[in-house]
Amino acid sequence: IGTNHILTITLEQSVQEGTWTPLDGQLVTASEVSDTANSEFVGPNTCTTGTSGSGQCQVMISSPTAGTTVIEAVWAGGTVAGASIASKATNPDASKLWVAGSIVVIKDTVPDDGTDFEFTTATLPGGTFNLEDDGDNADELSNTKTFNNLAPGTYDVAETPNPAYSTAVECVSSLGGTENPTSIGLTTGETVTCTFTNTFLIPSIDIEKATNGQDADTPTGPVIPVGSAVTWTYVVSNTGAVTLTNVTVTDDQLGAITCPKTTLAPGESMTCTANGTAVAGQYANIGTAVGTPPVGGNVSDADPSHYFGEEVQFAGCTPGFWKNHTDLWVGYLSTDKVSSVFSNADPFGGS
């Protein structure tokens, strides 16, 4: 289709029954007996048979569409072997079957869903088109588009990227081998099938919360003296296959937690921190991380943490208690004398 084809015409004469010899130097006219391929002659439809004993000449024809063209070669008559031939000789048996090529585009979504995928092309008829793979080809969109009656040439097809899916494409030729989807070399009678496989990229997020460095998911958690400093860390990780934006962390007791960034690529992590002061008794709080994938709803995860706030009993402290618990020196300095801190510090009159 769309290329020039040469038709060779052979003219022979018989001067005795059963013996045929080429007839040179004769004008032959070719014409279409029937045509379903919109064929046309390229150049003249007449030719003169050779002068070297071949009895042959050629005409050229081309067709823009698929179909069948039947050609008739006609010789108008003349003198053969000294005899005048009044009638013409014809051969209506020559025919040309124009075989078209095809390109088939298949959409395969893993798992099946109703997402529409856009395809673009600069060479295939109709331009942009959409496909989906929801398992129901009888509805609005099919998962397959076929382009028939294509002339030999170079074609292209591409899928518009969807960030929620990975994309793999393979174009297989009916003649063997594969083709590049951006440059499909189609020959006569060839069918190239391009399958675009899109796998859904599942988004997910993870948060791991710790209290003073301990992953205290269950009570009691670390024992912390009342009034002492408490540090909570929130390690947030993108455990999915797509980038998450608008990433936030909140604590059910502390409110919004400040984090170093709001976007996490797949596999990326960050650590957020909050500080407080230990209160008496069993304490629990829950950290929650939320992120937004490219498509679909938000993803989230939560993780609890605990500590036990211990009341400090100052009477009956063991030797060395104050030396080893300087964090409890509220309002005092290491230079203070015992007598200035405790009354009746030296019942024997010392200082």
Side-chain angles (χ1 to χ4, degrees), residues 222-305:
V223 177
I224 305 175
V226 172
S228 297
V230 182
T231 299
W232 292 278
T233 55
Y234 309 79
V235 179
V236 183
S237 303
N238 181 348
T239 53
V242 292
T243 296
L244 297 176
T245 58
N246 303 319
V247 178
T248 60
V249 174
T250 57
D251 190 293
D252 66 334
Q253 301 296 323
L254 306 176
I257 305 300
T258 301
C259 294
K261 58 199 314 181
T262 59
T263 298
L264 291 177
E268 188 178 11
S269 299
M270 66 177 175
T271 300
C272 314
T273 304
N275 298 291
T277 302
V279 297
Q282 183 65 63
Y283 183 91
N285 56 351
I286 301 173
T288 300
V290 179
T292 303
V295 296
N298 289 342
V299 291
S300 64
D301 187 42
D303 191 42
S305 192

Side-chain angles (χ1 to χ4, degrees), residues 1-344:
I1 293 177
T3 57
N4 296 336
H5 295 269
I6 296 174
L7 299 179
T8 300
I9 301 170
T10 301
L11 181 63
E12 295 179 319
Q13 62 179 335
S14 177
V15 295
Q16 63 183 36
E17 185 176 355
T19 301
W20 293 89
T21 58
L23 183 58
D24 289 338
Q26 302 297 311
L27 181 66
V28 179
T29 301
S31 60
E32 297 178 1
V33 176
S34 64
D35 178 33
T36 60
N38 299 312
S39 301
E40 292 183 354
F41 286 97
V42 179
N45 66 326
T46 61
C47 62
T48 300
T49 57
T51 58
S52 58
S54 68
Q56 293 182 341
C57 64
Q58 295 176 332
V59 294
M60 190 175 296
I61 194 170
S62 180
S63 171
T65 60
T68 301
T69 302
V70 178
I71 303 298
E72 180 182 65
V74 178
W75 174 57
T79 301
V80 177
S84 177
I85 307 298
S87 62
K88 64 181 181 181
T90 66
N91 180 3
D93 298 329
S95 66
K96 180 67 179 178
L97 176 61
W98 306 96
V99 181
S102 299
I103 292 177
V104 182
V105 181
I106 298 175
K107 159 55 49 208
D108 180 20
T109 306
V110 182
D112 290 353
D113 67 35
T115 301
D116 292 358
F117 290 87
E118 181 185 68
F119 292 83
T120 58
T121 175
T123 54
L124 291 171
T128 301
F129 60 95
N130 286 4
L131 297 175
E132 69 175 15
D133 183 27
D134 63 354
D136 181 10
N137 285 334
D139 65 0
E140 176 185 359
L141 286 177
S142 171
N143 73 330
T144 303
K145 187 171 181 65
T146 301
F147 298 89
N148 289 318
N149 298 329
L150 298 178
T154 301
Y155 297 88
D156 73 288
V157 62
E159 182 183 77
T160 302
N162 186 323
Y165 296 82
S166 66
T167 301
V169 58
E170 183 179 36
C171 294
V172 179
S173 169
S174 61
L175 303 179
T178 59
E179 293 280 346
N180 186 329
T182 62
S183 181
I184 302 171
L186 191 68
T187 61
T188 300
E190 180 184 19
T191 297
V192 175
T193 302
C194 293
T195 302
F196 289 79
T197 301
N198 298 91
T199 301
F200 182 67
L201 302 174
I202 301 174
S204 63
I205 195 170
D206 177 75
I207 184 171
E208 295 296 330
K209 184 171 180 288
T211 300
N212 281 5
Q214 295 188 30
D215 185 19
D217 287 348
T218 58
T220 57
V223 177
I224 305 175
V226 172
S228 297
V230 182
T231 299
W232 292 278
T233 55
Y234 309 79
V235 179
V236 183
S237 303
N238 181 348
T239 53
V242 292
T243 296
L244 297 176
T245 58
N246 303 319
V247 178
T248 60
V249 174
T250 57
D251 190 293
D252 66 334
Q253 301 296 323
L254 306 176
I257 305 300
T258 301
C259 294
K261 58 199 314 181
T262 59
T263 298
L264 291 177
E268 188 178 11
S269 299
M270 66 177 175
T271 300
C272 314
T273 304
N275 298 291
T277 302
V279 297
Q282 183 65 63
Y283 183 91
N285 56 351
I286 301 173
T288 300
V290 179
T292 303
V295 296
N298 289 342
V299 291
S300 64
D301 187 42
D303 191 42
S305 192
H306 303 79
Y307 75 79
F308 188 86
E310 182 180 57
E311 294 277 7
V312 177
Q313 302 296 324
F314 296 101
C317 294
T318 59
F321 177 86
W322 291 106
K323 177 181 178 180
N324 296 322
H325 293 79
T326 55
D327 56 313
L328 300 179
W329 292 15
V330 180
Y332 302 100
L333 301 174
S334 60
T335 56
D336 291 343
K337 293 183 178 181
V338 174
S339 59
S340 67
V341 176
F342 298 101
S343 61
N344 196 24

